[in-house]
Amino acid sequence: MTDLQTRAAPSRAGALRRAAPALLGYAAVRALGLLVLFVWSAARDKSGYTLLTARWDALWYVRVAELGYGYEVRLANGDVHSNLAFFPLLPWLERLVAAVSPLSYADGGFVVGALASLAAAWGIFAVADRVHGRRAGVCAVLLWAVLPVGIVQSMAYSESLFTALAAWSLYAVLTGRWVTAGVLALLAGLTRPVGLAVVAAVWVAAIASFLGERRAAASLGERRTPSPVRRILGMLLAPLGTAGYVLWVGHRTGGGPLGYLDVQAGWRNGFDGGYAFARFVAGKFTSFPSAVAGAGLILGVASVVWLYLAGLRRRQPLPLLVYSGVVTALALCASSYFGSKPRLLMPAFPLLLPLALALARQRTRRSAWILGALAVVSSVYGAFWLNGSGPP
């Protein structure tokens, strides 16, 4: 057992009171973002609500909720965009909301996203609070809220739902609740392909904990170690979501165990170690205006790597390092959708912990001014981004 696992967890009511400042601050940032989006969209004769619920991936999720799987679009270049690429948990929840209320599937996606974003904020606070204390927990939540792509947290997308499940699964790992961690990892695996990151965190942490207990028992001359049954059960549950959906897709398409990769290939998406992204960045340096964007991309990637190394230097708990490392690798090394990489990195919230700790050490007024300024910039950028032509 680690020190993090042996510390007593607060009661549910006490935990909510402890997280209240973070949740209130998070809600305020999201409200500001929505306000700016609706004002900006109205000025352009667009519907801010439509931008949040009925464009890009949100439309694919609604179609799955309404009609099930089997829909595909064949493009002129031969690509096949199949809705099998989209994992089922969000459409299931959209269908549930529509079944028990007068809301549409799109409305259900917005409600699920809003509630999930609050659950994600609470989970991020719980993890950061346990690792670095309450002030760092509040700062971590607010930093996640003011990300440049933070408006996605209010969309009918699966990022907020996935982040909530991942954060609480990691918290369960840190507190030694292995079965809970496994169940939440299972659900995360039904939400996005990157659920593999949560599975990896659960497995690595469980194996490390087991080995640590054996070494401790040996040093004390004990022959028996604590029963690993619940830990093993959590490990067995964790991959069932991802594996179950991927195998089902393979069976449905006739592609076997790797059939899901064929579906992703139809979207020209895959894992190439970052080669395509490197070529994309290099291509930006062919002219002066685009070279600025290329330099910005390099700076962004370098910042992500620096944040990960900062967490490593501060001896961030192993499950957080594994989780954020896998999320980062999958996001940066995907072979397509380069403009979506900031959104794909959003669930990697442990990367924010070094910054949160640095902010927590500042005076409250200074931290508030920094976060307030970032909230304004994030809100304006989010409105500009969603009113653009391309998907986030």
Side-chain angles (χ1 to χ4, degrees):
M1 297 289 285
T2 66
D3 291 339
L4 290 173
Q5 290 174 331
T6 55
R7 284 167 49 186
S11 66
R12 187 171 302 175
L16 180 57
R17 286 195 297 271
R18 187 172 179 84
L23 298 180
L24 290 173
Y26 177 79
V29 173
R30 291 273 46 81
L32 176 62
L34 291 175
L35 175 63
V36 174
L37 172 65
F38 279 89
V39 172
W40 188 301
S41 301
R44 295 171 58 89
D45 293 323
K46 293 184 178 181
S47 167
Y49 188 72
T50 298
L51 295 178
L52 295 171
T53 62
R55 292 186 72 186
W56 306 305
D57 290 8
L59 291 174
W60 287 88
Y61 283 119
V62 166
R63 189 177 291 274
V64 173
E66 183 177 7
L67 301 175
Y69 286 104
Y71 176 79
E72 62 184 27
V73 176
R74 295 183 177 272
L75 305 183
N77 63 358
D79 291 347
V80 179
H81 289 184
S82 169
N83 65 359
L84 289 169
F86 296 87
F87 277 51
L89 186 57
L90 178 57
W92 287 348
L93 294 175
E94 290 177 341
R95 186 179 300 174
L96 176 62
V97 172
V100 301
S101 73
L103 299 177
S104 68
Y105 296 115
D107 296 334
F110 180 76
V111 170
V112 170
L115 295 177
S117 69
L118 287 172
W122 192 358
I124 292 170
F125 171 81
V127 170
D129 179 27
R130 192 161 189 85
V131 175
H132 293 307
R134 188 183 190 188
R135 283 177 61 88
V138 173
C139 291
V141 170
L142 295 179
L143 284 171
W144 191 67
V146 302
L147 288 174
V149 294
I151 191 64
V152 174
Q153 298 161 19
S154 298
M155 295 180 69
Y157 272 37
S158 60
E159 273 76 11
S160 290
L161 178 61
F162 175 79
T163 305
L165 294 167
W168 284 108
S169 180
L170 292 171
Y171 180 75
V173 168
L174 294 177
T175 54
R177 296 175 171 88
W178 296 104
V179 176
T180 300
V183 170
L184 292 171
L186 185 158
L187 293 174
L190 287 171
T191 308
R192 297 185 63 80
V194 76
L196 289 171
V198 191
V199 177
V202 172
W203 272 66
V204 170
I207 293 171
S209 179
F210 178 72
L211 294 176
E213 286 180 356
R214 290 196 63 179
R215 286 194 297 267
S219 66
L220 295 174
E222 298 177 358
R223 295 184 178 180
R224 299 181 62 184
T225 58
S227 173
V229 172
R230 296 183 67 81
R231 202 170 316 163
I232 292 174
L233 180 57
M235 293 175 68
L236 292 175
L237 287 170
L240 293 183
T242 301
Y245 183 69
V246 167
L247 292 176
W248 178 80
V249 170
H251 173 74
R252 182 181 175 106
T253 61
L258 300 181
Y260 182 77
L261 298 181
D262 296 332
V263 172
Q264 286 285 9
W267 288 80
R268 299 210 172 189
N269 196 21
F271 186 90
D272 65 357
Y275 174 72
F277 184 45
R279 290 189 60 187
F280 173 77
V281 174
K284 293 292 184 182
F285 290 92
T286 57
S287 63
F288 173 71
S290 63
V292 177
L297 289 171
I298 293 175
L299 179 61
V301 172
S303 298
V304 169
V305 173
W306 179 83
L307 288 172
Y308 185 80
L309 293 177
L312 191 63
R313 288 194 301 270
R314 293 184 180 277
R315 298 185 178 181
Q316 203 171 89
L318 181 61
L320 302 188
L321 290 171
V322 171
Y323 168 76
S324 59
V326 174
V327 172
T328 301
L330 291 176
L332 294 182
C333 297
S335 59
S336 188
Y337 299 99
F338 306 121
S340 296
K341 289 191 183 295
R343 170 174 66 88
L344 300 178
L345 282 167
M346 193 171 65
F349 68 89
L351 294 176
L352 299 173
L353 296 188
L355 295 178
L357 187 59
L359 268 179
R361 291 171 174 169
Q362 301 294 318
R363 292 183 178 180
T364 302
R365 180 174 295 181
R366 177 177 296 178
S367 298
W369 275 107
I370 293 173
L371 291 167
L374 290 175
V376 172
V377 173
S378 173
S379 298
V380 172
Y381 180 75
F384 167 78
W385 193 36
L386 282 194
N387 277 275
S389 59

